[in-house]
Amino acid sequence: MMDHDGVWKYAEYSTFHVESASLKYKLHVDGYSGDAGDSLLYHDEMFFSTFDNDNDNYTANCAQLRRGGWWFKYCHKANLNGEYGNTEFSNGINWNSWRGFNYSMKEVRMMVRKI
């Protein structure tokens, strides 16, 4: 991911697996390495939530509150599907362990390698 100063940081996981649609795209993640901090482990074992399919543990729909679908829990520590450029608390493209909830990343990439 890249901030608005052009600084790149990364988070890599030795385990990253998403279940099928029938299992609500449940996320399995573990084995962090990198220099951005681990903001994704918080979302391990969570189902994918969208505006019209609330699968998080919060009383409200986190996808609606935080402006994008994600593996929300009690909303998030990471949200790479947030609203671009939005610096309101938790509404942007966030990676909390690096830049916090009030910072929206300039660019992010999720890359999956098939082993």
Side-chain angles (χ1 to χ4, degrees):
M1 60 201 89
M2 183 178 72
D3 69 9
H4 290 273
D5 296 323
V7 176
W8 283 92
K9 292 203 176 192
Y10 75 99
E12 185 172 341
Y13 295 87
S14 59
T15 299
F16 184 92
H17 174 76
V18 178
E19 300 282 355
S20 67
S22 65
L23 295 172
K24 302 179 187 177
Y25 304 105
K26 186 176 185 178
L27 176 67
H28 302 278
V29 64
D30 197 17
Y32 165 81
S33 64
D35 58 4
D38 185 2
S39 290
L40 194 56
L41 184 62
Y42 175 80
H43 302 274
D44 185 44
E45 302 291 320
M46 293 310 304
F47 301 108
F48 199 84
S49 286
T50 61
F51 297 124
D52 60 348
N53 197 352
D54 184 8
N55 293 312
D56 59 61
N57 293 336
Y58 193 58
T59 54
N61 183 333
C62 292
Q64 288 179 353
L65 289 173
R66 301 302 169 217
R67 310 220 168 60
W70 193 251
W71 297 278
F72 293 110
K73 190 173 188 174
Y74 294 98
C75 289
H76 70 279
K77 303 268 180 171
N79 181 8
L80 301 185
N81 284 332
E83 187 174 65
Y84 183 80
N86 190 329
T87 57
E88 294 173 4
F89 184 79
S90 292
N91 289 336
I93 300 170
N94 301 140
W95 194 266
N96 186 50
S97 60
W98 179 24
R99 292 300 232 140
F101 287 122
N102 289 20
Y103 192 92
S104 187
M105 297 294 164
K106 182 175 183 181
E107 184 176 332
V108 294
R109 299 175 187 169
M110 286 185 73
M111 297 184 284
V112 179
R113 176 178 28 216
K114 185 176 180 179
I115 304 175

